[in-house]
Amino acid sequence: MQMRLLILSVLLVMIPVNTNSSTLGYQITAPFDFITIEELKSKVTQNQSLLILDVRGSESYANSTTRIKGALHVSPRKLKYRLGFPPLKDVPKDREMVTYCACPSDEAAITAAQILVSNGFKRVRVLKGGWQEWLKAKGPVEQRPRG
């Protein structure tokens, strides 16, 4: 038992860290960047070609009547599966993508970004501050589809 704890301790010390974000007290190493609210607002208002993924939880999404203009809602748990079907199946791997959620530390958006990167997408970013900050900044929204 003591040997297992020693091995686990050594492995944990060897994990690389990145100070971009923290979840549950440990650091996440991520091959993607964060995008600011202002930068995304500019891209959306200029109708730049990018795919925005709303990965808010089902309850958060259901309790909202709006989403970021042009966003596609996908559950982070189903994202990998949904990549095999339209419209995600047809997205070029070099298309700019932004994920956002309503989590306090962008956890679901980070998870979704990690899934996208691990599936070959090269230009993935996480919206820093997510849905709440987007609303505070009066970013463009649209009515979400019902159903």
Side-chain angles (χ1 to χ4, degrees):
M1 179 66 167
Q2 288 180 342
M3 181 59 112
R4 286 184 186 156
L5 288 175
L6 177 63
I7 292 170
L8 180 58
S9 298
V10 169
L11 290 175
L12 288 175
V13 169
M14 295 172 56
I15 295 174
V17 296
N18 178 343
T19 57
N20 283 342
S21 63
S22 171
T23 304
L24 302 176
Y26 56 89
Q27 300 298 318
I28 297 174
T29 303
F32 52 83
D33 294 320
F34 285 88
I35 185 171
T36 66
I37 298 293
E38 291 306 316
E39 188 178 355
L40 184 58
K41 275 176 66 174
S42 175
K43 288 177 179 283
V44 170
T45 56
Q46 294 173 15
N47 293 317
Q48 289 188 12
S49 178
L50 72 152
L51 178 62
I52 303 170
L53 291 181
D54 178 338
V55 295
R56 288 181 285 167
S58 300
E59 187 175 329
S60 175
Y61 188 75
N63 290 334
S64 176
T65 59
T66 58
R67 63 182 179 190
I68 292 178
K69 183 180 175 190
L72 173 66
H73 181 256
V74 180
S75 163
R77 290 179 300 180
K78 297 178 183 174
L79 178 56
K80 188 172 181 178
Y81 172 77
R82 293 271 311 271
L83 289 174
F85 298 94
L88 296 176
K89 177 182 177 184
D90 304 319
V91 175
K93 300 290 185 182
D94 63 346
R95 178 121 179 243
E96 184 175 9
M97 301 177 83
V98 175
T99 62
Y100 75 93
C101 62
C103 308
S105 297
D106 306 318
E107 296 96 344
I110 290 168
T111 298
Q114 289 171 329
I115 292 167
L116 292 168
V117 168
S118 70
N119 280 276
F121 291 92
K122 299 181 183 355
R123 298 175 58 207
V124 181
R125 298 170 81 186
V126 173
L127 180 62
K128 186 71 176 158
W131 180 240
Q132 286 82 10
E133 292 301 315
W134 185 260
L135 292 176
K136 285 181 194 174
K138 298 183 178 10
V141 296
E142 66 185 8
Q143 293 296 311
R144 70 170 184 79
R146 294 287 174 196

Coordinates of all heavy atoms in Angstrom, one line a residue, residues 52-88:
I52 N -18.9 28.5 -33.2 CA -19.0 28.7 -31.7 C -19.8 27.6 -31.2 O -20.9 27.3 -31.6 CB -19.6 30.1 -31.4 CG1 -18.9 31.2 -32.1 CG2 -19.8 30.2 -29.9 CD1 -19.6 32.6 -32.0
L53 N -19.2 26.9 -30.2 CA -19.9 25.8 -29.6 C -20.4 26.1 -28.2 O -19.5 26.5 -27.3 CB -19.0 24.5 -29.5 CG -18.7 23.9 -30.8 CD1 -17.8 22.6 -30.6 CD2 -20.0 23.5 -31.6
D54 N -21.6 26.1 -27.9 CA -22.2 26.3 -26.6 C -22.3 25.0 -25.9 O -23.0 24.1 -26.3 CB -23.7 26.9 -26.8 CG -24.4 27.1 -25.6 OD1 -24.1 26.6 -24.5 OD2 -25.4 27.9 -25.6
V55 N -21.5 24.8 -24.9 CA -21.4 23.5 -24.2 C -21.9 23.7 -22.8 O -21.5 22.9 -21.9 CB -20.0 22.9 -24.2 CG1 -19.6 22.6 -25.7 CG2 -18.9 23.9 -23.6
R56 N -22.9 24.6 -22.6 CA -23.5 24.7 -21.3 C -24.3 23.4 -21.0 O -24.7 22.7 -21.9 CB -24.5 25.9 -21.3 CG -23.9 27.2 -21.3 CD -24.9 28.3 -21.3 NE -25.5 28.4 -22.6 CZ -26.6 29.1 -22.8 NH1 -27.3 29.8 -21.9 NH2 -27.1 29.2 -24.0
G57 N -24.4 23.1 -19.7 CA -25.1 21.9 -19.3 C -26.6 22.0 -19.7 O -27.1 23.1 -20.0
S58 N -27.2 20.9 -19.8 CA -28.6 20.8 -20.2 C -29.5 21.8 -19.5 O -30.4 22.4 -20.1 CB -29.1 19.4 -20.2 OG -28.4 18.5 -20.9
E59 N -29.4 21.8 -18.2 CA -30.3 22.6 -17.3 C -30.0 24.1 -17.6 O -31.0 24.9 -17.8 CB -30.1 22.3 -15.9 CG -31.1 23.0 -15.0 CD -30.9 22.6 -13.5 OE1 -30.6 21.4 -13.2 OE2 -31.2 23.4 -12.6
S60 N -28.8 24.5 -17.6 CA -28.4 25.9 -17.9 C -28.9 26.3 -19.3 O -29.5 27.4 -19.4 CB -26.9 26.1 -17.8 OG -26.6 27.4 -18.2
Y61 N -28.8 25.5 -20.3 CA -29.2 25.8 -21.6 C -30.7 25.8 -21.7 O -31.3 26.8 -22.2 CB -28.7 24.7 -22.6 CG -29.0 25.0 -24.0 CD1 -28.2 26.0 -24.7 CD2 -29.9 24.4 -24.8 CE1 -28.5 26.3 -26.0 CE2 -30.2 24.7 -26.1 CZ -29.5 25.6 -26.7 OH -29.7 26.0 -28.0
A62 N -31.4 24.9 -21.0 CA -32.9 24.9 -21.0 C -33.5 26.1 -20.3 O -34.5 26.5 -20.7 CB -33.4 23.6 -20.4
N63 N -32.8 26.6 -19.3 CA -33.3 27.7 -18.6 C -33.0 29.1 -19.2 O -33.3 30.1 -18.7 CB -32.7 27.7 -17.1 CG -33.3 26.6 -16.3 OD1 -34.4 26.1 -16.5 ND2 -32.5 26.2 -15.3
S64 N -32.4 29.0 -20.4 CA -32.0 30.3 -21.1 C -32.8 30.3 -22.4 O -33.1 29.3 -23.0 CB -30.5 30.3 -21.4 OG -30.2 31.4 -22.2
T65 N -33.2 31.5 -22.8 CA -33.9 31.6 -24.0 C -33.0 32.1 -25.2 O -33.4 32.1 -26.3 CB -35.0 32.7 -23.9 OG1 -34.4 33.9 -23.5 CG2 -36.1 32.3 -22.9
T66 N -31.7 32.4 -24.8 CA -30.8 32.9 -25.9 C -29.4 32.1 -25.8 O -29.2 31.4 -24.9 CB -30.5 34.4 -25.7 OG1 -30.0 34.6 -24.4 CG2 -31.7 35.2 -25.9
R67 N -28.7 32.3 -26.8 CA -27.3 31.8 -26.9 C -26.5 32.8 -27.7 O -27.0 33.8 -28.3 CB -27.3 30.5 -27.6 CG -27.8 30.6 -29.1 CD -27.8 29.2 -29.7 NE -28.3 29.4 -31.1 CZ -28.6 28.3 -31.9 NH1 -28.5 27.1 -31.4 NH2 -29.0 28.5 -33.1
I68 N -25.2 32.7 -27.7 CA -24.3 33.6 -28.5 C -24.7 33.4 -29.9 O -25.0 32.3 -30.4 CB -22.8 33.3 -28.3 CG1 -22.4 33.6 -26.8 CG2 -22.0 34.0 -29.3 CD1 -20.9 33.3 -26.5
K69 N -24.8 34.6 -30.6 CA -25.2 34.6 -32.0 C -24.4 33.6 -32.8 O -23.2 33.7 -32.8 CB -25.1 36.0 -32.6 CG -25.6 36.1 -34.0 CD -25.4 37.6 -34.5 CE -25.8 37.6 -36.0 NZ -25.4 38.9 -36.5
G70 N -25.1 32.7 -33.5 CA -24.4 31.7 -34.4 C -23.9 30.5 -33.7 O -23.4 29.6 -34.4
A71 N -24.1 30.4 -32.4 CA -23.6 29.2 -31.7 C -24.4 27.9 -31.9 O -25.6 28.0 -32.2 CB -23.5 29.5 -30.2
L72 N -23.7 26.8 -31.8 CA -24.3 25.5 -31.9 C -24.2 24.8 -30.5 O -23.1 24.8 -29.9 CB -23.6 24.7 -32.9 CG -24.0 23.2 -33.1 CD1 -25.4 23.1 -33.6 CD2 -23.0 22.5 -34.0
H73 N -25.3 24.4 -29.9 CA -25.3 23.7 -28.6 C -25.0 22.3 -28.8 O -25.6 21.5 -29.5 CB -26.6 23.9 -27.9 CG -26.6 23.3 -26.5 ND1 -27.2 22.0 -26.3 CD2 -26.0 23.7 -25.4 CE1 -27.0 21.8 -25.0 NE2 -26.3 22.7 -24.4
V74 N -24.0 21.8 -28.0 CA -23.5 20.4 -28.0 C -23.2 20.1 -26.5 O -22.4 20.8 -25.9 CB -22.3 20.2 -28.9 CG1 -21.9 18.7 -28.8 CG2 -22.6 20.6 -30.3
S75 N -23.7 19.0 -26.0 CA -23.3 18.5 -24.7 C -21.8 18.1 -24.7 O -21.5 17.3 -25.6 CB -24.2 17.4 -24.3 OG -23.6 16.7 -23.2
P76 N -21.0 18.5 -23.8 CA -19.6 18.0 -23.8 C -19.5 16.5 -23.7 O -18.6 15.9 -24.3 CB -19.0 18.6 -22.5 CG -19.9 19.8 -22.1 CD -21.3 19.4 -22.7
R77 N -20.5 15.9 -23.0 CA -20.4 14.4 -22.9 C -20.7 13.7 -24.3 O -20.3 12.6 -24.5 CB -21.5 13.9 -21.9 CG -21.1 14.2 -20.5 CD -22.2 13.8 -19.6 NE -23.4 14.5 -20.0 CZ -24.6 14.3 -19.4 NH1 -24.7 13.5 -18.4 NH2 -25.6 15.0 -19.8
K78 N -21.4 14.4 -25.2 CA -21.8 13.8 -26.5 C -20.9 14.4 -27.6 O -21.1 14.0 -28.8 CB -23.3 14.1 -26.8 CG -24.2 13.4 -25.8 CD -25.6 13.7 -26.1 CE -26.5 13.0 -25.0 NZ -27.9 13.4 -25.2
L79 N -20.0 15.3 -27.3 CA -19.3 16.0 -28.4 C -18.5 15.0 -29.2 O -18.6 15.1 -30.5 CB -18.4 17.1 -27.8 CG -17.5 17.8 -28.8 CD1 -18.3 18.5 -29.8 CD2 -16.6 18.9 -28.0
K80 N -17.7 14.2 -28.6 CA -16.9 13.2 -29.5 C -17.8 12.4 -30.4 O -17.5 12.3 -31.6 CB -16.1 12.3 -28.5 CG -15.1 11.5 -29.3 CD -14.2 10.7 -28.4 CE -13.2 9.9 -29.2 NZ -12.3 9.2 -28.4
Y81 N -18.9 11.9 -29.9 CA -19.9 11.2 -30.8 C -20.4 12.1 -31.9 O -20.5 11.7 -33.0 CB -21.0 10.7 -29.9 CG -22.1 10.0 -30.6 CD1 -22.0 8.8 -31.2 CD2 -23.3 10.7 -30.8 CE1 -23.1 8.2 -31.9 CE2 -24.4 10.1 -31.5 CZ -24.3 8.9 -32.0 OH -25.3 8.3 -32.7
R82 N -20.8 13.3 -31.5 CA -21.4 14.2 -32.5 C -20.5 14.6 -33.6 O -20.9 15.1 -34.6 CB -22.0 15.5 -31.8 CG -23.2 15.2 -30.9 CD -24.5 15.3 -31.5 NE -24.8 16.4 -32.3 CZ -25.3 17.6 -31.9 NH1 -25.6 17.8 -30.7 NH2 -25.5 18.6 -32.8
L83 N -19.2 14.5 -33.3 CA -18.2 14.9 -34.4 C -18.3 14.0 -35.6 O -17.8 14.4 -36.7 CB -16.8 14.8 -33.8 CG -16.4 15.9 -32.8 CD1 -15.0 15.6 -32.2 CD2 -16.5 17.3 -33.4
G84 N -19.0 12.9 -35.5 CA -19.1 11.9 -36.6 C -20.4 12.2 -37.4 O -20.6 11.5 -38.4
F85 N -21.1 13.2 -37.1 CA -22.4 13.5 -37.8 C -22.5 15.0 -38.1 O -21.9 15.9 -37.5 CB -23.6 13.2 -36.9 CG -23.6 11.7 -36.5 CD1 -23.0 11.3 -35.3 CD2 -24.2 10.8 -37.4 CE1 -23.1 9.9 -35.0 CE2 -24.2 9.5 -37.1 CZ -23.7 9.0 -35.9
P86 N -23.2 15.3 -39.2 CA -23.4 16.7 -39.6 C -24.1 17.5 -38.5 O -24.9 16.9 -37.7 CB -24.3 16.7 -40.8 CG -24.1 15.3 -41.4 CD -23.8 14.4 -40.2
P87 N -23.8 18.7 -38.3 CA -22.9 19.6 -39.1 C -21.5 19.5 -38.7 O -20.6 19.9 -39.4 CB -23.5 21.0 -38.8 CG -24.0 20.9 -37.4 CD -24.5 19.5 -37.3
L88 N -21.2 18.9 -37.5 CA -19.8 18.9 -37.0 C -18.9 18.0 -37.9 O -17.7 18.3 -38.0 CB -19.7 18.4 -35.6 CG -20.4 19.3 -34.6 CD1 -20.4 18.7 -33.2 CD2 -19.8 20.7 -34.6

